[in-house]
């Protein structure tokens, strides 16, 4: 999440798609919070399809974040 925090202004201005690996820990929670604040939603690849990540249902380490 430190990399994302350092790039906050860049992410806000250019709104890139982000692909990252996040283990299920405090760092992941901080990254999700920061990206949510910027308008990003998490997606995962499941059965060769991109779908929105649902924490209560999906288990994942690799995420695609996109502003929607």
């Amino acid at each position: 999440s430190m990399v994302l925090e350092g790039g906050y202004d860049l992410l806000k201005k250019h709104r890139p798609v982000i692909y990252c690996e996040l283990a299920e820990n405090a760092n992941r929670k901080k990254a999700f919070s920061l990206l949510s604040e910027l308008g990003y939603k998490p997606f995962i690849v499941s059965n060769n399809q991109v779908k929105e990540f649902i924490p209560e249902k999906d288990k994942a380490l690799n995420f695609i974040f996109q502003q929607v």
Side-chain angles (χ1 to χ4, degrees):
S1 72
M2 290 180 67
V3 170
L4 297 173
E5 288 172 5
Y8 187 89
D9 291 335
L10 179 79
L11 296 173
K12 189 173 182 177
K13 181 178 179 181
H14 296 287
R15 304 167 33 154
V17 173
I18 301 165
Y19 178 80
C20 62
E21 180 178 320
L22 295 167
E24 200 165 329
N25 58 28
N27 188 47
R28 177 173 168 165
K29 289 178 185 170
K30 286 172 67 175
F32 269 65
S33 178
L34 176 79
L35 291 170
S36 175
E37 180 182 312
L38 288 168
Y40 280 88
K41 288 201 179 268
F43 296 88
I44 60 172
V45 176
S46 177
N47 296 323
N48 292 321
Q49 294 188 1
V50 176
K51 68 174 204 149
E52 190 169 349
F53 174 67
I54 302 169
E56 301 81 27
K57 182 180 164 193
D58 300 319
K59 298 287 182 204
L61 290 175
N62 297 306
F63 297 92
I64 300 165
F65 289 90
Q66 184 173 1
Q67 285 189 341
V68 291

